[in-house]
Amino acid sequence: DVKVTQSSRYLVKRTGEKVFLECVQDMDHENMFWYRQDPGLGLRLIYFSYDVKMKEKGDIPEGYSVSREKKERFSLILESASTNQTSMYLCASKSPGSNEKLFFGSGTQLSVL
Amino acid sequence: AQSVTQPDIHITVSEGASLELRCNYSYGATPYLFWYVQSPGQGLQLLLKYFSGDTLVQGIKGFEAEFKRSQSSFNLRKPSVHWSDAAEYFCAVGAGLDYKLSFGAGTTVTVRA
């Protein structure tokens, strides 16, 4: 079965810090996504990537950047963390073919103090 | 722009009773529709999806959903709920197979014995 692994389950950072959230998938998927999940708002797409070194903004990219140097790894970067970026962050990858679907990681709960 | 509304924030149902979760979408063309489930501490898991064809879609764990274009709805149903169905459920709509999905705010289901 596909495995999408997010490096940290919980993370606590200070305002102004640069934060890296890592996501690795083991099935050679081309498409990967970063969402944030907030109560009452559901999931909102931050960035996604169609292939190595290719990225596209989602609905709420402000304050974030991403890096995709290798196919299996998709990193979300908070250049200067702020308290309104306290959230649950979910990474996903998409399988190709006729049975395509999103596979989600377990999430990283980030608290910015 | 596409959007999803899940009118019910929280539903409580008795074990063995039927369950229906409502989802209304807004999108100009034929939508791609999904239901995901998130158990506590877990990532999201796809229950079912609708792209085209038969408007009654069968999914995993005994769930089904019906696409009604005239009502812009994609309601999720299960005839008999099990305690393990307690989770948060998300409806999502996409414009195509690029999977830039818009998620609803979610419905939390509590199952009482």
Side-chain angles (χ1 to χ4, degrees), chain A residues 45-63:
Chain A
L45 181 64
I46 306 171
Y47 266 97
F48 60 101
S49 169
Y50 287 127
D51 205 342
V52 175
K53 296 191 186 295
M54 297 184 69
K55 60 188 179 185
E56 195 166 324
K57 293 179 180 179
D59 299 321
I60 51 164
E62 297 78 19

Side-chain angles (χ1 to χ4, degrees), chain A residues 40-84:
Chain A
L41 296 178
L43 280 73
R44 293 177 290 167
L45 181 64
I46 306 171
Y47 266 97
F48 60 101
S49 169
Y50 287 127
D51 205 342
V52 175
K53 296 191 186 295
M54 297 184 69
K55 60 188 179 185
E56 195 166 324
K57 293 179 180 179
D59 299 321
I60 51 164
E62 297 78 19
Y64 303 94
S65 63
V66 289
S67 172
R68 186 109 183 258
E69 296 296 318
K70 293 185 178 181
K71 201 172 193 178
E72 67 270 19
R73 187 180 297 270
F74 190 34
S75 303
L76 180 69
I77 303 159
L78 287 66
E79 297 291 342
S80 177
S82 63
T83 54
N84 63 13

Side-chain angles (χ1 to χ4, degrees), chain B residues 2-40:
Chain B
Q2 64 215 38
S3 66
V4 174
T5 301
Q6 294 181 245
D8 305 304
I9 297 173
H10 190 202
I11 287 180
T12 299
V13 61
S14 298
E15 192 168 14
S18 63
L19 174 68
E20 181 167 14
L21 304 182
R22 296 183 290 165
C23 171
N24 294 102
Y25 68 88
S26 173
Y27 183 63
T30 299
Y32 292 79
L33 294 160
F34 307 80
W35 274 101
Y36 283 85
V37 61
Q38 185 178 34
S39 298

Side-chain angles (χ1 to χ4, degrees), chain A residues 1-3 25-30 72 93 96:
Chain A
D1 214 4
V2 176
K3 196 167 184 182
Q25 49 96 1
D26 65 357
M27 285 300 290
D28 203 37
H29 291 169
E30 291 183 346
E72 67 270 19
S93 71

